[in-house]
Each structure stands twice: as structure tokens, then as C-alpha cells.
Amino acid sequence: MNETKKPNKQGRIRAESELKIITAAQEEFILQGYRGATVQSIADRSGLPKANILYYFKNKENIYHAVLERTLNMWDQAIGDIDPAHGPKVAIEKFIAAKVRVSFEHPGASKIYAMEIIQGAQHLKEFTRTYQRQWVREKAKLFQQWIDNGEMKNVDPVNLIFLIWSSTQHYADFETQILQIMNRADYEEDDVTHVTRFLTDIILRGCGLID
């Protein structure tokens, strides 16, 4: 009995430690950038010995890749699959709601991704060229089918996706600016609802899906 439980316990401890490290690393990369952050500073922020950090990730680059991968997985899980049978209105509503929710609940994840892209996507080039490009093409093809079937207005599908990305991630990437302008210390739960409704209404109208 003890032998069968031990791996589960070890796996749980490893998962908890890795999450702790990735969360601390995310903050360090946001504050210091990739070059400025060090394994030692990540260890200090996580409260774990440097040796533990290197045991799990070997080096800073591996930690950075893990942080980026966590962000991408988070977005994928939030959006999920878009079912063609549900039609463009439901698809866009789901897409916007998921992206807004992640931007408000995990702004650091979006900031890390934005910083990486701005700096030339050195660590994301292969991902962008393969998975992300294919994802956009598949979703754009689906929107084009709905357009051809007369289910929505004739808009550029790729730019529609770019618009949803940029408008939703703005609330994460420019969080400091928005809160300063609104004279607020932090976002509130009502903001998620308000922004989701606002963006959904504007974009659905632009796509001819509501009057």
C-alpha cells in the first residue's frame, strides 16, 4: 500500500514545487526581463533553494519555456474547441468570454507572452510558425465557412481573430495604465462582466450577428 501511494505523493510534491517556481519566475521575468532575471532571484522569490530550482528545470531558459508553455496551455484550455454546429455568434461569445476571464485572472501570463513577442519571439518562433499559425488558419477557415453560408457579415477572419486577441489582452498587458486612468487599485469582478459584454456587443454588431 505504501509503495503504491509514494509515487502519487512524490508527483504531487513535484507538481506543487514546479508551480511555485513557475509562478515566482513569471513575476521575475515581468519585473526584470529575461536577461535581468536570474535563477537565484527566482529561488529567492519562490522561497525554495537554488538547488531545487535547478533540480526541476536545469537552467533559466527551461524555466522561461515552462512559463510560456503555461500561458499557452491556459489560453487553449480556456477557449477549448469551437464547435461549427454552434454557429458564429456562440463561438465569438465563448472566445471573448474566455480571453477576458484569463486576462483579468492571470494578467501576468499575458504580459510575459506580450514581452516575448515584442522582443522578437526568440523562444516562441517554432510555436508561432507551427501550432499558432495552424490554429489561426483553422479558425479563420471556420469563420469563412460561416461567411460563405451567409451566417455572418463578410469580415476578414484573420483580422477578426487579431481583434479579439488584442482587445481582450489589452486589459492584462496595460493593466497598470487602465487602473491609473480609472483611479483604481485593482480590478473588480464586475469589470470582467462589463468588459465581456462591451466587447461582445461591439464585435457581434461588427460581424452582423446582432442588430
Side-chain angles (χ1 to χ4, degrees):
M1 289 292 289
N2 291 336
E3 291 182 1
T4 58
K5 289 182 179 180
K6 189 175 181 181
N8 292 333
K9 183 179 180 181
Q10 288 179 337
R12 185 172 65 253
I13 291 172
R14 182 183 185 92
E16 290 173 353
S17 296
E18 289 181 349
L19 179 58
K20 201 171 188 178
I21 294 167
I22 291 171
T23 301
Q26 178 177 278
E27 291 301 314
E28 280 298 304
F29 289 131
I30 290 173
L31 293 172
Q32 310 297 337
Y34 178 77
R35 291 185 180 181
T38 65
V39 175
Q40 186 60 60
S41 66
I42 292 169
D44 293 341
R45 185 176 288 275
S46 69
L48 296 172
K50 181 179 177 180
N52 286 34
I53 310 295
L54 294 174
Y55 171 77
Y56 289 116
F57 292 100
K58 306 301 181 188
N59 54 51
K60 184 173 74 170
E61 185 175 17
N62 286 351
I63 302 172
Y64 188 60
H65 285 169
V67 171
L68 291 173
E69 185 177 352
R70 180 193 182 201
T71 297
L72 300 172
N73 288 339
M74 192 182 298
W75 284 343
D76 269 354
Q77 291 171 8
I79 296 170
D81 293 327
I82 296 177
D83 189 341
H86 291 163
K89 183 173 181 292
V90 172
I92 291 172
E93 288 173 340
K94 180 181 178 181
F95 194 178
I96 294 173
K99 290 294 275 88
V100 170
R101 174 64 62 180
V102 172
S103 289
F104 275 88
E105 293 183 353
H106 305 281
S110 183
K111 289 174 185 176
I112 280 286
Y113 183 82
M115 289 171 63
E116 170 65 16
I117 296 298
I118 290 170
Q119 293 169 6
Q122 178 183 351
H123 300 272
L124 280 175
K125 282 183 180 177
E126 188 60 28
F127 170 82
T128 303
R129 288 172 182 163
T130 55
Y131 175 81
Q132 196 168 44
R133 182 182 291 172
Q134 184 62 29
W135 190 94
V136 171
R137 285 176 176 172
E138 289 176 356
K139 300 305 179 287
K141 183 178 180 181
L142 181 55
F143 280 120
Q144 189 60 54
Q145 288 176 353
W146 285 325
I147 291 168
D148 294 341
N149 291 337
E151 297 180 61
M152 61 182 288
K153 191 176 177 180
N154 186 13
V155 299
D156 185 318
V158 173
N159 280 304
L160 173 59
I161 293 170
F162 290 162
L163 173 62
I164 294 174
W165 278 354
S166 61
S167 60
T168 54
Q169 289 169 221
H170 176 82
Y171 292 90
D173 301 342
F174 290 86
E175 176 187 23
T176 300
Q177 180 189 61
I178 293 171
L179 292 174
Q180 287 178 347
I181 291 173
M182 296 176 68
N183 194 27
R184 299 257 292 276
D186 206 347
Y187 287 133
E188 299 173 0
E189 181 61 31
D190 287 348
D191 293 326
V192 178
T193 302
H194 174 73
V195 170
T196 300
R197 288 177 177 172
F198 174 77
L199 293 178
T200 301
D201 182 75
I202 291 292
I203 293 173
L204 288 181
R205 288 182 190 279
C207 292
L209 294 168
I210 58 173
D211 298 324

